[in-house]
Amino acid sequence: MKKSLKRALAIIMALSLLISGGIFSVFAAANPSNIKAITAEDFNEDGLYGYLTTSDYDTNEVSNSIVIPGLFQSNTKLYNDDGTIALNENGEEYEAPFFLDSTKDIVLLAVKKALIPLLFTIITRCDPCDILANNVADALAEILGAKIKSDSNGKLVMNVKADKYNSPVSELTQEEKDYIYDQIPLNDYADLVGEDHLYFFSYCSFGNLEETVDELYDFIKTAAANSPTGKVNIVPISQGGSLAANLFERHKDVGQYLDRVVFIIPALDGTVLMGDLFAKGFIDDDKSLYDEIFPVLIDDTPWVGYLVNIALHLLPKKTVNAVLDKGVDALIGCLKNSTCIWGLIDSNSYPTAAEKYLSGSEDKVIRAQTDTHYKAQLNRYDNIKYQMETYGVKVFDIVDYNYSLYPIIDSWKTANADGIINVDSTSMGATSFGVDTQLPDTYTPAAGGKYVDKYNIIDAGTGLLPDQTFYFHNQNHESTGRNDAIMKLAISLLIDNNFTSINSYPDKYPQFNEWRDAKGFAGSLTELSNKLETGEIGKADKAELTALLKEGLKVANNTTMDPDELQEYKSDFYLRRDNMINGTNNTPAEKTTEEKIKDGVSEAAAVLLAIISKIMYYTLIK
């Protein structure tokens, strides 16, 4: 996800940062690397290119494929009433997804609203009228303003629209192609079967769910009509999974246009991360809130997380809870009429959340739509089976697991997840008792334990489609696009009609695999291939450099390589490549004295602040 749920919920984190000094911050999500594939003509005489050969498929028998991207992966803009793109005071386009004002204006507003009541509360250790909490909530509502709000009919109030691509990728501009491949690294798919086989369904993540799904239904019919097989594959990713669940409920005949469905970490039943926030609010466990959350969220600079902890300790616990509760209510007040966002609330949380926020007479239209989606969630398994049994649709699922949810809700410690979506949603019902928590001795696994992973953490046998579901251990949701083994798996499922289950290619694509970070590696192989082709190889011996490239290709195509070994190999590969080209004999670079000092100071600060934070926690809170 380029703009992940973490970024959306980071607005809530800003509440605490407001408390700690009037600074507003948004945590940027990891952006999947644009992995460019080596062309099929490069070194394929030994079968070293890729994971498919021309004998595995016939282009005329491959259906067109539609990517249904996740949260904030569509290029969305804010427009004026006259249809021109809205610009901020600096003459720049507002940045999606929240179209916020300048950082300067946000900080000034935060200071204006929060600084005086913050200082008063710290000094007096009292805020009986919740002035600070109310001001923070007002600031948050003003920061978001009306730009992402929908009206009582679920229509966006402001003119916010996603760029639309109503033709295959082959007919798009280079800029549009670059954007799409930056979101979803499916370059290999396009290289293998042609960009005329690839479509990208773009939508506004804050928009109206039913309108979006109706548009998707029509989009599928159009792409199917242009497909060699008369049908299309769809690839619902993350939030795209909630659209698919709604599609199968409200357009049951869609299966006549579908060949394969390849889910990738789909929010088929939303996520408890969103559901808990709407139903229960921000986490209220003292230890998590005051001792654990921020060092986890700000893991790249832990000392900052502990500094936030210390700042929280300066305020009365009642005030902190009030600020967070009112802040969440303010955020939800901006989102409560967005039915696409309601589609991300899990079915267990929905009844409580709907009663809490959609019980008024003015909410009837929104409530009718969200109730319909709730029904789609409850019927999701039956609806998927209906598509398979009635129309012969082949359905596959790719799941990340054993990665804790972001620690902003009470369920974060107990749910097995990928950081953003809990596994029972993405996996269609696999059983797990938590991250790094083995199945208990009293548990009887399905199918005699046939589908239990080697860590004894998850039983895939209780999922709807155990023979068509693939799992990646310790894989983070936001980094899924950097796991080239996942991308290779998805592409193979879309292209190879002989790929029907976990038993088809167990050596390449076992049911249970590991996390992987191939960021930049495939691109470096392409670059090296191009250098060899043009002769720009510096002082290197061509035969030696060619051998290195072939070795790198073998490693890249080893989809089951130990992830740590892959990381080590990448570093070694880059060093050997540079030594060959530059005629040097360098060894792995060590950190400079300045870097070592900086790291030491940072680590010492983190340790010191952690000790202070814990002392304050046990003195003031515990």
Side-chain angles (χ1 to χ4, degrees), residues 237-417:
I237 302 171
S238 192
Q239 187 182 28
S242 68
L243 269 62
N246 194 283
L247 175 74
F248 293 154
E249 173 69 24
R250 295 179 51 250
H251 295 283
K252 295 188 187 299
D253 67 334
V254 69
Q256 65 184 300
Y257 308 108
L258 299 181
D259 184 357
R260 294 187 164 211
V261 178
V262 179
F263 289 113
I264 302 179
I265 48 174
L268 283 165
D269 188 29
T271 168
V272 297
L273 196 65
M274 187 69 81
D276 269 21
L277 278 173
F278 270 64
K280 303 174 185 177
F282 201 81
I283 192 169
D284 56 9
D285 172 67
D286 286 346
K287 182 166 179 56
S288 294
L289 178 58
Y290 288 92
D291 194 42
E292 297 174 331
I293 288 179
F294 293 99
V296 172
L297 283 177
I298 317 175
D299 57 356
D300 55 340
T301 49
W303 67 269
V304 176
Y306 290 116
L307 189 62
V308 174
N309 281 353
I310 292 170
L312 288 177
H313 289 113
L314 298 176
L315 293 169
K317 184 164 69 171
K318 175 181 177 295
T319 298
V320 173
N321 289 332
V323 167
L324 294 173
D325 289 342
K326 290 179 182 289
V328 170
D329 284 342
L331 175 64
I332 293 175
C334 296
L335 300 176
K336 71 181 286 285
N337 290 339
S338 169
T339 50
C340 274
I341 294 300
W342 277 94
L344 290 173
I345 296 174
D346 66 289
S347 57
N348 287 331
S349 302
Y350 174 77
T352 300
E355 185 62 25
K356 184 176 180 180
Y357 290 106
L358 297 178
S359 58
S361 58
E362 71 279 8
D363 301 317
K364 287 183 179 179
V365 174
I366 303 298
R367 182 65 180 267
Q369 292 187 30
T370 58
D371 281 351
T372 297
H373 185 72
Y374 175 54
K375 181 181 176 183
Q377 289 176 313
L378 297 180
N379 294 339
R380 63 193 184 278
Y381 299 157
D382 288 339
N383 288 339
I384 289 172
K385 287 190 291 186
Y386 177 82
Q387 299 299 321
M388 297 173 69
E389 294 168 0
T390 304
Y391 298 106
V393 179
K394 294 164 281 293
V395 181
F396 305 90
D397 195 8
I398 300 173
V399 178
D400 300 341
Y401 78 107
N402 208 54
Y403 204 101
S404 296
L405 289 167
Y406 291 114
I408 61 176
I409 58 170
D410 291 327
S411 302
W412 82 275
K413 286 186 176 181
T414 58
N416 199 321

Side-chain angles (χ1 to χ4, degrees), residues 130-171:
D130 288 339
I131 295 174
L132 177 60
N134 289 327
N135 281 17
V136 169
D138 289 344
L140 182 59
E142 189 171 337
I143 287 167
L144 293 176
K147 296 188 182 79
I148 63 170
K149 282 187 176 181
S150 295
D151 61 23
S152 59
N153 292 311
K155 312 279 189 181
L156 284 161
V157 174
M158 300 292 283
N159 191 7
V160 175
K161 294 186 293 187
D163 289 350
K164 298 296 181 181
Y165 314 112
N166 296 318
S167 57
V169 170
S170 59
E171 298 179 19

Side-chain angles (χ1 to χ4, degrees), residues 39-50 53-54 550 553:
T39 61
E41 288 73 24
D42 289 323
F43 303 104
N44 64 356
E45 69 276 6
D46 296 323
L48 296 176
Y49 167 73
T53 64
T54 53
K550 288 190 175 185
L553 285 167

Side-chain angles (χ1 to χ4, degrees), residues 100-148:
L100 302 176
D101 292 325
S102 68
T103 301
K104 176 183 175 182
D105 290 340
I106 291 172
V107 171
L108 288 175
L109 176 63
V111 171
K112 176 183 175 182
K113 290 280 189 180
L115 185 58
I116 293 177
L118 170 67
L119 294 175
F120 176 83
T121 304
I122 290 175
I123 293 170
T124 64
R125 299 287 297 169
C126 180
D127 185 15
C129 298
D130 288 339
I131 295 174
L132 177 60
N134 289 327
N135 281 17
V136 169
D138 289 344
L140 182 59
E142 189 171 337
I143 287 167
L144 293 176
K147 296 188 182 79
I148 63 170

Side-chain angles (χ1 to χ4, degrees), residues 536-557:
E536 300 174 9
I537 59 174
K539 299 179 180 180
D541 177 82
K542 185 173 183 180
E544 290 183 359
L545 203 58
T546 299
L548 178 65
L549 175 60
K550 288 190 175 185
E551 177 189 292
L553 285 167
K554 284 184 177 179
V555 170
N557 293 326

Side-chain angles (χ1 to χ4, degrees), residues 488-517:
K488 288 177 169 67
L489 169 60
I491 291 167
S492 295
L493 288 168
L494 293 172
I495 292 176
D496 185 359
N497 290 325
N498 294 317
F499 199 163
T500 58
S501 77
I502 58 173
N503 303 309
S504 297
Y505 306 108
D507 293 338
K508 291 182 179 179
Y509 304 116
Q511 176 158 44
F512 296 105
N513 207 336
E514 297 292 331
W515 71 274
R516 187 169 165 119
D517 186 352

